[in-house]
Amino acid sequence: MNAAPVTAPLDDWVSRLADEAVAFAERNGTPVKVASGISPSGPIHLGNLREVMVPHLVADELRRRGLQVEHIISWDDFDRFRKVPNVPGVDETWSQHIGKPLTRVPAPHGSDAENWAEHFRRELQSALEELGVEYRGISQTQMYTSGAYIDQVLHAMAQRGRIDSILERYRTLDRGDSAPTQGNAEETDADAADAASGAAEEADGSGDSGYYPYKPYCSVCGTDFTTVTAYDDESTDLTYVCRCGHTETVVLREHTDGKLVWKVDWPMRWAFEKITFEPSGVDHQSPGSSFAVGKDVAPIFGWKRPLGPMYAFVGIRGMAKMSSSKGGVPTAAVALRYLEPPLLRWLYGRKKPNQSFDVALDGELPRTYDEWDALVRKTAGDKAQPGDIAAYARAASVLDTASQQVRQLPLTPRPMPYKTLASVVDITTGDDEQTLRILAALEPDRPLEELSPLRPRLDRATAWVAEQMPAEERTVVRSEPDTELLRSLTDEQREGLRLLLEGSGVPAPSGLGRLEDDWSLAGITHQVYGVAKVQRGMGADQIVKGDKELAAAQRAFFVLLYRLLVGSDTGPRLPTLLLAVGADRVRSLVRPE
Ligand SMILES: [Zn+2]
């Protein structure tokens, strides 16, 4: 493990953004404080993870420089429940809770969380822990209901005329603004993502009875289908009517069951927490958006809109199967079922915020591991570029604030290629003993006596095979020989199979022994590639380049073997497959009639 000392500077976009964050904070005479806002209104999409990862990486960079930087995550759990997302354990009866705060909506069936918000917040919290993200979580329900914001609420009400005129300037811009929401094209994902993208669109507080930036939750039906009809600045008496028919006058300076409308709430909290850095998604940065409006609203609370780079979409590849079977949304917790935490960190760290990227959970996922393994090899050598070193360091380690030391995140001690692990697990259907036998044979010069050095990567691959591996890539070894195919073989094919099983009469390496003679990855590789060479009068160990005819003959022989073994034209690498299937079963499946 190459533990980067705190002092080793990393050179990448994170470092430059951190410089900007420092300059911004210095200009405003305040320390850097970074924030993320997460609305636990449904499963928290991998796109929303960027909301956390961008500030995290910047804070982590500054901590590596020896600065104390706080990262707060605002759990926007006092926001209204706006629609029922398509998630497991939830049915249409949840629509009766629309308009209530997320913390007063029941959790999905089967959850032991106390409420809706907690259920979804917890899933992200455990993912963030695995990802090594240090932050202070702030529940907005707790803040509002404890009265922490009472002065700010009264101030906003006193300044409602100013706020209204600011908002008025943006209202025309807001119309027709339909920035795409985070997520992929699948409707269920898009819906859930929309629900999780925070209060992007919401009533801004204007109504027929005047402009009021505060919205009470109704004391009878619990929803925010309320309209403020009167407010007295002197007494702070506030009267509202609700859709349910209830009307009431409350004393606002003692009232803790309502909240500022989003476009006022967000800037108020920038000021309250003294935030200097808070990125937001493209859907928050259109001309009439809350971030744009916040520039003018923040000074009302004596603060300045923080430095807020826009982050682009995160696309997801794969999940179709999960979407249909589990109503699945690609959350960080789901991605961590297949990706080790450093890899997931790496995907967020290697792209600048304004670049979109895809997280592949489908058949492309093994390639992500291959690229990561290549990066690890590169950084271990002397040819690594500064960008590679930074990308690796940010993915594989964090600055632990308690110890002020760089802490390495767990990596798999012996990182065998993910694709190999996946195909072996696929063939063995997860049988540990068989898996160990095959994997040990793959690297005979490095003894492997147990599976533990292969974990957690092996477990990730196992979960991926079970849940995400594309059906067409699954390997099902035939239980009975394909007698029809075996009967219809050409003489050349017959001869090829005989050579594979019984050898050429000349021992390896120039000839071929019996298949069992060298039952190792190297031995089987020699055998399967040697057949076509021997058939063309070459030595089995002859190194041949650019012989198209030989290459075609080898390919044709491999296709024949795949069809006989797994009933398909393709499959996992043949030597791996043969090892997995076992010599006896190979014989019974490919022996010519
Ligand atoms: Zn009501």
Side-chain angles (χ1 to χ4, degrees), residues 217-226 240-247:
Y217 283 110
C218 173
S219 63
V220 171
C221 72
T223 74
D224 72 345
F225 291 105
T226 55
Y240 70 87
V241 295
C242 177
R243 189 179 67 169
C244 73
H246 181 64
T247 181

Short mmCIF file of all heavy atoms in Angstrom, two decimals, residues 217-226 240-247, ligand 1:
data_model
loop_
_atom_site.label_atom_id
_atom_site.label_comp_id
_atom_site.label_asym_id
_atom_site.label_seq_id
_atom_site.Cartn_x
_atom_site.Cartn_y
_atom_site.Cartn_z
N TYR A 217 -47.32 23.36 8.54
CA TYR A 217 -48.00 22.08 8.37
C TYR A 217 -49.29 22.15 9.17
O TYR A 217 -49.30 22.64 10.31
CB TYR A 217 -47.10 20.93 8.86
CG TYR A 217 -45.99 20.59 7.87
CD1 TYR A 217 -44.66 20.88 8.14
CD2 TYR A 217 -46.31 19.98 6.66
CE1 TYR A 217 -43.65 20.58 7.22
CE2 TYR A 217 -45.30 19.67 5.73
CZ TYR A 217 -43.99 19.97 6.02
OH TYR A 217 -43.01 19.66 5.11
N CYS A 218 -50.38 21.71 8.59
CA CYS A 218 -51.70 21.81 9.23
C CYS A 218 -51.76 20.99 10.51
O CYS A 218 -51.32 19.84 10.54
CB CYS A 218 -52.78 21.32 8.25
SG CYS A 218 -54.42 21.18 8.96
N SER A 219 -52.28 21.56 11.57
CA SER A 219 -52.29 20.85 12.85
C SER A 219 -53.37 19.78 12.90
O SER A 219 -53.42 18.98 13.81
CB SER A 219 -52.49 21.85 14.00
OG SER A 219 -53.75 22.47 13.88
N VAL A 220 -54.25 19.74 11.90
CA VAL A 220 -55.28 18.70 11.88
C VAL A 220 -54.91 17.57 10.93
O VAL A 220 -54.82 16.41 11.33
CB VAL A 220 -56.66 19.31 11.51
CG1 VAL A 220 -57.69 18.21 11.27
CG2 VAL A 220 -57.13 20.24 12.61
N CYS A 221 -54.63 17.88 9.66
CA CYS A 221 -54.37 16.81 8.70
C CYS A 221 -52.87 16.57 8.48
O CYS A 221 -52.47 15.59 7.87
CB CYS A 221 -55.06 17.07 7.37
SG CYS A 221 -54.30 18.39 6.41
N GLY A 222 -52.05 17.45 9.02
CA GLY A 222 -50.61 17.21 8.96
C GLY A 222 -49.92 17.57 7.66
O GLY A 222 -48.70 17.40 7.54
N THR A 223 -50.68 18.04 6.68
CA THR A 223 -50.06 18.33 5.39
C THR A 223 -49.73 19.82 5.25
O THR A 223 -50.12 20.64 6.09
CB THR A 223 -51.00 17.96 4.21
OG1 THR A 223 -52.05 18.93 4.14
CG2 THR A 223 -51.59 16.57 4.40
N ASP A 224 -49.04 20.14 4.17
CA ASP A 224 -48.73 21.55 3.91
C ASP A 224 -49.63 22.11 2.81
O ASP A 224 -49.24 23.04 2.11
CB ASP A 224 -47.26 21.72 3.56
CG ASP A 224 -46.92 21.18 2.18
OD1 ASP A 224 -47.74 20.42 1.61
OD2 ASP A 224 -45.84 21.52 1.66
N PHE A 225 -50.83 21.52 2.66
CA PHE A 225 -51.78 22.11 1.72
C PHE A 225 -52.43 23.32 2.38
O PHE A 225 -53.65 23.43 2.48
CB PHE A 225 -52.83 21.08 1.26
CG PHE A 225 -52.25 20.02 0.38
CD1 PHE A 225 -52.01 18.73 0.87
CD2 PHE A 225 -51.91 20.31 -0.94
CE1 PHE A 225 -51.46 17.75 0.05
CE2 PHE A 225 -51.35 19.33 -1.76
CZ PHE A 225 -51.12 18.06 -1.26
N THR A 226 -51.59 24.16 2.90
CA THR A 226 -52.04 25.30 3.69
C THR A 226 -51.71 26.58 2.94
O THR A 226 -50.77 26.63 2.15
CB THR A 226 -51.33 25.33 5.05
OG1 THR A 226 -49.92 25.32 4.82
CG2 THR A 226 -51.70 24.14 5.91
N TYR A 240 -53.69 30.67 8.92
CA TYR A 240 -53.65 29.87 7.70
C TYR A 240 -54.95 29.10 7.53
O TYR A 240 -55.67 28.85 8.50
CB TYR A 240 -52.46 28.90 7.70
CG TYR A 240 -52.54 27.75 8.69
CD1 TYR A 240 -53.17 26.55 8.34
CD2 TYR A 240 -51.98 27.85 9.95
CE1 TYR A 240 -53.24 25.49 9.23
CE2 TYR A 240 -52.04 26.79 10.86
CZ TYR A 240 -52.67 25.61 10.49
OH TYR A 240 -52.74 24.57 11.38
N VAL A 241 -55.23 28.76 6.30
CA VAL A 241 -56.34 27.84 6.02
C VAL A 241 -55.73 26.62 5.34
O VAL A 241 -54.71 26.71 4.66
CB VAL A 241 -57.41 28.46 5.09
CG1 VAL A 241 -58.09 29.63 5.77
CG2 VAL A 241 -56.81 28.87 3.76
N CYS A 242 -56.38 25.50 5.56
CA CYS A 242 -55.87 24.26 4.96
C CYS A 242 -56.92 23.69 4.02
O CYS A 242 -58.11 23.93 4.18
CB CYS A 242 -55.54 23.25 6.05
SG CYS A 242 -54.97 21.66 5.36
N ARG A 243 -56.44 22.91 3.08
CA ARG A 243 -57.31 22.23 2.14
C ARG A 243 -58.37 21.39 2.86
O ARG A 243 -59.48 21.21 2.39
CB ARG A 243 -56.44 21.32 1.26
CG ARG A 243 -57.15 20.69 0.08
CD ARG A 243 -56.20 19.85 -0.73
NE ARG A 243 -55.75 18.66 0.01
CZ ARG A 243 -55.08 17.65 -0.52
NH1 ARG A 243 -54.77 17.69 -1.81
NH2 ARG A 243 -54.71 16.63 0.20
N CYS A 244 -58.01 20.89 4.05
CA CYS A 244 -58.93 20.02 4.79
C CYS A 244 -60.07 20.82 5.43
O CYS A 244 -60.97 20.24 6.03
CB CYS A 244 -58.18 19.21 5.84
SG CYS A 244 -57.63 20.17 7.28
N GLY A 245 -60.01 22.13 5.35
CA GLY A 245 -61.06 22.95 5.94
C GLY A 245 -60.65 23.61 7.25
O GLY A 245 -61.32 24.52 7.74
N HIS A 246 -59.56 23.16 7.80
CA HIS A 246 -59.10 23.72 9.07
C HIS A 246 -58.55 25.12 8.87
O HIS A 246 -57.85 25.40 7.89
CB HIS A 246 -58.02 22.82 9.66
CG HIS A 246 -57.50 23.29 10.99
ND1 HIS A 246 -58.30 23.38 12.11
CD2 HIS A 246 -56.27 23.74 11.35
CE1 HIS A 246 -57.57 23.83 13.12
NE2 HIS A 246 -56.34 24.07 12.68
N THR A 247 -58.86 25.99 9.80
CA THR A 247 -58.23 27.31 9.80
C THR A 247 -57.82 27.63 11.22
O THR A 247 -58.46 27.20 12.18
CB THR A 247 -59.15 28.38 9.19
OG1 THR A 247 -58.45 29.63 9.20
CG2 THR A 247 -60.44 28.53 9.97
ZN ZN B 1 -55.33 20.27 7.06
#
